[in-house]
Amino acid sequence: MNCTRDYCVKDINLAPSGEKKIDWVSRFMPVLQAIRKDFEEKKPFEGVRIATTLHLEMKTAFLLLTLKAAGAEVSAAASNPLSTQDDVVAALAKAGVKVYAIRGEDREQYYEFMHKALDIKPNIIIDDGADMVSTVLKERTELIDELWGASEETTTGVIRLRAMEKDGVLRFPIIAVNDSYTKYLFDNRYGTGQSTWDGILRTTNLLIAGKNVVVVGYGWCGKGIAMRARGLGATVIVVEVDPIRALEARMDGFLVMDMMEAAKVGDIFVTSTGDINCIRKEHFEVMKDGVIMANAGHFDVEISKPDLEELAVDISEPRPNITEYKLADGRRLYLLAEGRLVNLAAADGHPAEIMDMSFALQAKAAEYILNNHEKLEPKVYVLPREIDEMVARIKLASMGIKTEELTEEQRRYLESWEHGT
């Protein structure tokens, strides 16, 4: 481990490998490239301090370097102990980002590094899961006076932050980047859908076709996971608590069951709910031998590891990122990536073209906080639609796609009420 006042990384000599990764993904992130070019010219964050807790991999690195190119002092800690790429972190340290993260860090290190990232006394926070915001509100309240606001990347984080707002404990404004159209319609659906199966396939090297895949949760992430599972030839079963989403899943052509029923027939289980203990003891007790379980939700609580450990008579690791729980009756249940985000812990996360839009929104959210914090209340906000549309337009242009324009006649018609039957 190499540690100085400005960074703590596994091995600073890994930087050249990380630099190559960052250069590679940057070529497929045209929206963030456009924003970076503008930021480099205008330097809007000159003298501004931005602390981040994110998945520290190559796409994230390009966002952090974009903020640095805009003049900001940037610090970073990991939002997940198993998603950190040590060579990318080394490259960030070499580039002057104050970064503190090591793949596989324990809980104590996780929070120690987060506090180090907060020591820059940030004006803006970029969070993933709301752990940094929560830490400031509970343990680092001395930072609040200089903190203008924060942005949040994930569904899970936004749920936590809205709960904070409801309880009256928020002390600064939050931008729910996750709730922007060009984030959740694409990142949550197409990004999670592809990267989750990337992680499962890399880890197991097993066939998906012909298997019963149980998708627990049918929000935008669950929709993407289910869609891709069907494309891989699986029979897809959806488990939902929301009757409207359950009905939507059935109308989309998927089977819908409760968890106990699905537990008896599933071959592969993927959770994406943002809630705790969605698969637990009574479900493990009726599962088939050889079942594979993976989590695509933010925290490692959706599949009950304590229940698995209680039921197991032997625990082993037959392959990297696979934990085998052998039960008393001889059945073996397999948990991928310790129940953490399988797409980041066992693969490289969302594709660059997807994170291009999400991180473009994060960059613009930081700029929005910079320009508007004095008039924002301590509430959860969504970015203005024009920022969403700007991201979509740049993305379409990069794909060589032109959209239709309204004629003046059409515009007048849409703005009028006189025309009827």
Side-chain angles (χ1 to χ4, degrees):
M1 185 161 56
N2 301 143
C3 295
T4 70
R5 186 183 64 179
D6 292 336
Y7 64 79
C8 196
V9 303
K10 182 178 181 179
D11 184 355
I12 196 67
N13 295 313
L14 295 173
S17 171
E19 290 164 356
K20 289 178 182 178
K21 285 184 177 181
I22 298 166
D23 178 63
W24 166 254
V25 295
S26 69
R27 303 175 194 183
F28 302 95
M29 302 179 77
V31 185
L32 196 53
Q33 283 178 10
I35 290 170
R36 178 170 179 158
K37 183 178 179 181
D38 180 61
F39 279 2
E40 283 178 321
E41 293 174 0
K42 297 177 180 177
K43 300 287 184 185
F45 296 110
E46 197 74 62
V48 176
R49 301 180 300 279
I50 302 177
T52 68
T53 300
L54 297 164
H55 297 288
L56 294 176
E57 46 77 53
M58 47 194 166
K59 283 90 65 181
T60 307
F62 190 51
L63 167 65
L64 299 181
L65 294 176
T66 295
L67 296 171
K68 193 170 188 306
E73 178 183 354
V74 181
S75 68
S79 62
N80 187 304
L82 292 183
S83 63
T84 298
Q85 295 181 359
D86 289 317
D87 54 351
V88 170
V89 171
L92 285 171
K94 280 282 191 182
V97 174
K98 294 181 177 178
V99 60
Y100 312 91
I102 296 168
R103 182 178 177 86
E105 62 197 33
D106 59 25
R107 181 179 174 83
E108 183 180 347
Q109 282 180 312
Y110 176 84
Y111 282 102
E112 176 190 345
F113 290 159
M114 187 180 299
H115 281 284
K116 285 182 178 295
L118 285 168
D119 285 343
I120 67 167
K121 300 180 179 179
N123 306 120
I124 297 170
I125 284 174
I126 300 177
D127 212 345
D128 188 307
D131 273 352
M132 183 171 271
V133 167
S134 178
T135 297
V136 168
L137 292 173
K138 291 189 294 185
E139 302 176 41
R140 299 295 298 273
T141 54
E142 79 279 5
L143 301 176
I144 291 174
D145 286 346
E146 294 187 60
L147 190 53
W148 301 335
S151 63
E152 171 56 46
E153 176 76 9
T154 67
T155 304
T156 297
V158 171
I159 290 170
R160 294 180 75 192
L161 291 162
R162 290 196 187 281
M164 293 178 199
E165 179 184 351
K166 183 180 177 182
D167 289 348
V169 300
L170 270 185
R171 301 279 299 278
F172 43 84
I174 305 288
I175 305 297
V177 167
N178 179 76
D179 292 358
S180 293
Y181 290 111
T182 47
K183 198 283 183 180
Y184 72 82
L185 289 178
F186 304 97
D187 180 309
N188 294 15
R189 177 169 38 172
Y190 299 106
T192 305
Q194 178 169 316
S195 63
T196 294
W197 288 107
D198 181 21
I200 294 170
L201 290 166
R202 284 197 207 187
T203 304
T204 66
N205 191 34
L206 296 178
L207 184 68
I208 307 303
K211 288 188 171 67
N212 293 331
V213 169
V214 179
V215 178
V216 187
Y218 201 65
W220 288 104
C221 293
K223 288 179 174 71
I225 295 164
M227 175 175 61
R228 292 296 179 241
R230 176 161 56 190
L232 288 166
T235 297
V236 181
I237 300 163
V238 170
V239 174
E240 247 299 345
V241 297
D242 185 318
I244 297 173
R245 286 181 175 175
L247 182 60
E248 182 183 12
R250 189 68 193 101
M251 295 293 186
D252 284 344
F254 303 119
L255 299 175
V256 178
M257 302 179 186
D258 64 23
M259 192 66 243
M260 185 58 75
E261 186 181 6
K264 298 173 184 177
V265 298
D267 299 303
I268 300 174
F269 294 78
V270 186
T271 54
S272 60
T273 69
D275 209 344
I276 192 169
N277 294 339
C278 302
I279 306 179
R280 51 193 181 271
K281 184 176 182 180
E282 61 263 35
H283 307 130
F284 301 140
E285 290 176 334
V286 301
M287 284 181 174
K288 298 189 289 187
D289 181 33
V291 154
I292 291 167
M293 294 174 285
N295 172 48
H298 185 80
F299 293 116
D300 61 337
V301 297
E302 304 202 15
I303 302 167
S304 177
K305 291 188 286 186
D307 284 353
L308 277 172
E309 290 163 3
E310 178 188 335
L311 290 170
V313 296
D314 185 62
I315 300 173
S316 60
E317 186 177 308
R319 283 171 60 94
N321 274 322
I322 301 179
T323 305
E324 177 186 280
Y325 296 87
K326 185 177 179 181
L327 308 189
D329 60 8
R331 286 179 298 130
R332 291 174 170 85
L333 307 182
Y334 299 103
L335 180 64
L336 306 189
E338 301 178 12
R340 296 190 182 276
L341 272 169
V342 71
N343 59 336
L344 279 150
D348 288 314
H350 292 357
E353 297 95 334
I354 288 292
M355 295 314 298
D356 183 30
M357 293 185 283
S358 298
F359 285 156
L361 289 168
Q362 285 286 15
K364 297 303 286 187
E367 185 180 42
Y368 187 80
I369 293 168
L370 171 71
N371 294 332
N372 296 280
H373 66 274
E374 291 181 352
K375 58 187 178 185
L376 296 176
E377 299 177 29
K379 295 180 179 180
V380 178
Y381 296 86
V382 178
L383 284 170
R385 185 179 175 90
E386 54 263 30
I387 294 178
D388 245 343
E389 291 181 352
M390 176 212 73
V391 169
R393 286 195 188 96
I394 297 174
K395 193 67 173 180
L396 286 167
S398 75
M399 300 166 72
I401 297 172
K402 294 182 179 180
T403 58
E404 184 63 89
E405 297 287 338
L406 291 172
T407 65
E408 189 56 39
E409 178 189 34
Q410 290 169 330
R411 196 180 307 279
R412 286 198 305 271
Y413 180 84
L414 291 174
E415 292 172 353
S416 69
W417 54 269
E418 289 93 344
H419 300 282
T421 303

